[in-house]
Amino acid sequence: MSCKVEIKFTLNGRPEKAIVPVDLNLLAMLRDMFDLKGAKYACGEGECGACTVIVDKLSVNSCLTFAVDCDGREVRTVEGLRATDKLHPMQRAFVDHGAIQCGFCMPGMIMQATHLSDTSPGLTRDGLKRGLEGNVCRCTGYTKVLDAVSDAMNTEGVDQ
Ligand code: FES
Ligand code: FES
C-alpha cells in the first residue's frame, strides 16, 4: 500500500485539498476524487493528449503527472473554461466549425488549443498544427479543428 499525503492546490479557480497516494496520477485524482470527467484516459502513455489539462501555465498529460506534484499549483480543466453561462470562445469555435464528432478527444484538444491561444497568440496555421500534434483525434481529420482554433485565435495564413 502506497503512503498518502495531503496536497493543496487551486482547481478551476477554487482552493481545494486532497489526500492522495503518492503514486496517484492527476487524471485519476480529477476523475475519481473530484468527479471531473472531461479529461479522458486513452493511451495512458503520453501519446494521445486526451487527458490534457493546464497546470500553472503549462499544458500537461495528466496521465503522466503525479497528483502530488500539483501541490501549491493551479490546475485548470475543461470544466473550468466557462466563466459564465456562455461557452468559452474556444468551445464556441469548435461548435461553430463542426469540429466535434464523437467528442472523446475534445476536452484535451480544447485545453491544448486554449493553452496555445493563451501562450502563443501569434501562431501561424502551420504553428498550430505543430502545437496540436500531440492531440490525436480518430474522427475529424483535423481540418475543422484547425479551422476552429484558427478562428478563435484570429490566425491568418493558408493550410499547408
Ligand atoms: Fe494521457 Fe493519452 S491518456 S496522453
Ligand atoms: Fe472523436 Fe476526436 S471527435 S476522437
Side-chain angles (χ1 to χ4, degrees), residues 99-106 109 136-140:
I100 301 171
Q101 292 190 23
C102 82
F104 188 86
C105 70
M106 285 297 148
M109 190 77 80
V136 175
C137 176
R138 289 176 178 269
C139 304
T140 64

Side-chain angles (χ1 to χ4, degrees), residues 38-40 48-54 59-60 76-82 87-119 128 131-132 134-137 140 142 144-146 148-149 152-153:
K40 299 291 188 294
C48 75
C51 63
T52 302
V53 300
I54 296 173
S59 67
V60 303
R76 194 176 182 204
T77 72
V78 73
E79 290 88 350
L81 276 189
R82 259 164 86 143
L87 292 176
H88 181 279
M90 191 62 75
Q91 293 172 309
R92 183 77 256 164
F94 273 71
V95 172
D96 289 347
H97 285 271
I100 301 171
Q101 292 190 23
C102 82
F104 188 86
C105 70
M106 285 297 148
M109 190 77 80
I110 288 171
M111 291 311 285
Q112 179 64 14
T114 301
H115 166 70
L116 293 173
S117 179
D118 289 347
T119 58
L128 279 182
L132 291 169
N135 290 76
V136 175
C137 176
T140 64
Y142 301 102
K144 290 181 178 179
V145 169
L146 285 167
V149 182
M153 291 176 66

Side-chain angles (χ1 to χ4, degrees), residues 3-82:
C3 72
K4 295 184 177 183
V5 296
E6 181 178 85
I7 59 172
K8 295 178 181 173
F9 56 102
T10 303
L11 179 56
N12 293 330
R14 294 177 45 174
E16 296 284 2
K17 57 186 172 183
I19 298 173
V20 295
V22 292
D23 58 354
L24 186 74
N25 66 46
L26 174 58
L27 178 61
M29 180 181 80
L30 292 171
R31 291 181 59 86
D32 300 339
M33 299 177 70
F34 289 91
D35 204 29
L36 296 175
K37 307 290 191 189
K40 299 291 188 294
Y41 179 86
C43 70
E45 297 178 346
E47 297 291 338
C48 75
C51 63
T52 302
V53 300
I54 296 173
V55 178
D56 289 342
K57 297 207 179 307
L58 297 174
S59 67
V60 303
N61 292 320
S62 59
C63 69
L64 295 184
T65 303
F66 286 118
V68 291
D69 287 337
C70 296
D71 189 35
R73 303 177 77 179
E74 278 188 39
V75 180
R76 194 176 182 204
T77 72
V78 73
E79 290 88 350
L81 276 189
R82 259 164 86 143

